[in-house]
Amino acid sequence: MKIGVIGYGLRIREVIRHIKLIEPAVRIAGIVDVRDFPELKDEDGRAIPIFSAASDMLAAQKLDGIMIGTRCSEHTDYALVVLPYGIPLYMEKPVSTSMEKWKELYKAAAIYNNTPVVVSHPLRLTSIVQKVKAIVAAGDIGDIAHVQAANNVPYGGVYYHAWYRDDSITGGMFLQKATHDFDYLTDIIGCRPERVCAVASKQVFKGNKPAGLKCKDCEDNRTCEESTVGTTEEENWPYCCFAEDTGNEDSGSALVEYENGVHLSYTQNFIVRRGAGTRGARVVGYKGTIDFDFITGIIKVIHHHKDQEDIYRFGAGDGHFGGDANLAANFIGVMKGKENSISTLQEGLRSALLCLKAKESAQTKNYQEIVEL
């Protein structure tokens, strides 16, 4: 099978690695990227064509699949180009970074609804989430009544040292991180979100250092706790995270109400380090509570009315706790025409809409209704 790649960055290369581990015969038939690459060759030593526009690649190559891995603000633009061709599409999250682009993509998704799309929301496909869903489905905790979730990110520096610091590209941290969490949590709850209120703040990664300052050029780079000078991160995380041009909030929280009355409390921050990192949730029912954490790989089921706790342990998994491999396998099946997407564009749109409305709520200090067009 031949795939075309739009935006040949680190993230999409990681997904392609998983695809080739499963299906070694897959080949990259063309790349569209804003950067100038030295000659790239496939496993057979053949040069991979580089195109200046997606339309040129689509005209020149017969493709079995297309993958969009550009920077976030361009995801929608390229999807609008690709969808009319009907070729299976793998699309990085978030699917849109503004309401204007979200509306365009929503309309295109309805028009080209026969184009299969797999959105990069791998957490829903992890063994942990699948096990939690199975426990809920078995009735072990009763109906879900309340969900408490947290994402304390121990590698938050990437969002202030690297290109991610530009929130005109990322759309802010709800769209960057909560889009994953809102997706898998909504999948567990199994219901449509109706409204959201949220707050966000920037308490740490702010300052008055000059715009564009790099750590290597800063006089404080030997004393600053965030300096990347002399570390393995220096090349990819070069900028000062206390400069005046650093965007992105460094913490945020949201309260989401679902149409069945369940409410989700969610909080994220990018300040913690080392062992303070957590990512997971507490799912509460009348009969029991499920606690799980992706980082520890542990699920604990606490039974409320009997003296019993069930513990499940999972390995760390390769790439998003094992979700990347499962998502890659699904995309292969979609390209072969043997499977339907298990992370659809409609679900990607719903997650992005929830994030956009959370961002709007934090800015306006008002509840926002999650009303699809």
Side-chain angles (χ1 to χ4, degrees):
M1 292 185 293
K2 295 180 180 180
I3 57 173
V5 181
I6 304 172
Y8 192 57
L10 293 176
R11 172 62 191 146
I12 212 69
R13 292 186 215 186
E14 176 67 5
V15 179
I16 292 169
R17 180 179 74 85
H18 284 285
I19 288 174
K20 290 189 173 185
L21 285 172
I22 300 165
E23 192 72 43
V26 170
R27 292 289 180 267
I28 299 175
I31 292 173
V32 178
D33 202 289
V34 296
R35 295 164 295 177
D36 291 325
F37 285 106
E39 187 178 49
L40 296 174
K41 295 184 178 180
D42 65 15
E43 291 84 345
D44 299 321
R46 293 173 295 198
I48 299 173
I50 308 295
F51 297 91
S52 59
S55 56
D56 294 339
M57 180 175 69
L58 287 159
Q61 301 286 23
K62 181 174 173 55
L63 300 171
D64 298 290
I66 301 175
M67 306 183 74
I68 296 176
T70 60
R71 292 187 176 182
C72 307
S73 55
E74 298 177 331
H75 291 170
T76 295
D77 298 335
Y78 280 110
L80 295 175
V81 173
V82 171
L83 283 171
Y85 287 82
I87 300 170
L89 170 62
Y90 182 98
M91 189 176 181
E92 264 301 327
K93 63 79 196 169
V95 296
S96 298
T97 56
S98 70
M99 276 306 305
E100 293 73 21
K101 289 190 175 185
W102 186 92
K103 290 176 182 178
E104 287 185 78
L105 185 58
Y106 184 93
K107 292 174 182 177
I111 294 169
Y112 305 108
N113 58 9
N114 289 326
T115 299
V117 181
V118 175
V119 176
S120 184
H121 278 146
L123 291 184
R124 62 163 48 217
L125 303 181
T126 59
S127 298
I128 288 177
V129 169
Q130 293 304 307
K131 182 63 177 177
V132 169
K133 288 179 65 178
I135 294 167
V136 172
D140 291 359
I141 67 166
D143 293 336
I144 295 174
H146 182 207
V147 180
Q148 305 160 351
N151 187 8
N152 298 302
V153 183
Y155 52 88
V158 67
Y159 298 105
Y160 309 96
H161 284 292
W163 66 264
Y164 286 103
R165 71 211 294 267
D166 187 343
D167 51 5
S168 70
I169 295 175
T170 65
M173 299 313 294
F174 284 120
L175 282 161
Q176 275 305 299
K177 297 301 284 185
T179 183
H180 278 307
D181 300 289
F182 286 158
D183 176 72
Y184 87 77
L185 290 163
T186 297
D187 193 36
I188 289 172
I189 293 168
C191 199
R192 188 182 70 83
E194 281 195 329
R195 61 188 57 85
V196 61
C197 65
V199 294
S201 62
K202 191 174 178 68
Q203 300 283 42
V204 174
F205 295 115
K206 57 185 179 179
N208 55 10
K209 293 285 187 180
L213 179 67
K214 293 186 175 181
C215 283
K216 67 182 180 66
D217 300 320
C218 178
E219 61 184 9
D220 299 325
N221 64 29
R222 295 189 180 276
T223 57
C224 177
E225 296 285 359
E226 295 295 325
S227 173
T228 61
V229 172
T231 72
T232 57
E233 298 160 344
E234 183 174 2
E235 181 178 356
N236 293 321
W237 298 14
Y239 294 100
C240 174
C241 60
F242 300 114
E244 60 189 10
D245 61 337
T246 299
N248 293 325
E249 71 274 20
D250 51 32
S251 64
S253 300
L255 191 63
V256 184
E257 185 178 358
Y258 288 79
E259 61 183 357
N260 62 359
V262 170
H263 74 272
L264 158 71
S265 62
Y266 171 82
T267 189
Q268 63 181 13
N269 81 77
F270 305 88
I271 301 161
V272 305
R273 296 293 184 267
R274 297 186 171 88
T278 59
R279 191 174 201 175
R282 169 168 278 201
V283 181
V284 180
Y286 176 65
K287 294 168 63 177
T289 291
I290 306 171
D291 273 333
F292 64 93
D293 189 318
F294 290 106
I295 294 177
T296 64
I298 295 175
I299 299 174
K300 179 188 290 187
V301 183
I302 303 137
H303 297 270
H304 292 173
H305 307 296
K306 56 183 176 181
D307 188 15
Q308 179 181 331
E309 292 186 359
D310 305 327
I311 307 293
Y312 304 90
R313 299 181 186 275
F314 295 83
D318 181 11
H320 283 100
F321 313 102
D324 283 348
N326 294 331
L327 205 60
N330 181 230
F331 187 54
I332 291 169
V334 170
M335 287 193 290
K336 289 182 175 181
K338 295 181 178 180
E339 295 182 22
N340 294 321
S341 171
I342 50 179
S343 183
T344 67
L345 180 53
Q346 288 69 32
E347 290 163 325
L349 283 162
R350 181 163 292 169
S351 175
L353 180 61
L354 183 49
C355 292
L356 286 164
K357 289 298 185 179
K359 179 181 178 180
E360 187 176 347
S361 174
Q363 292 170 339
T364 63
K365 312 298 184 187
N366 292 315
Y367 268 93
Q368 296 295 319
E369 300 294 322
I370 312 300
V371 179
E372 297 180 15
L373 297 179

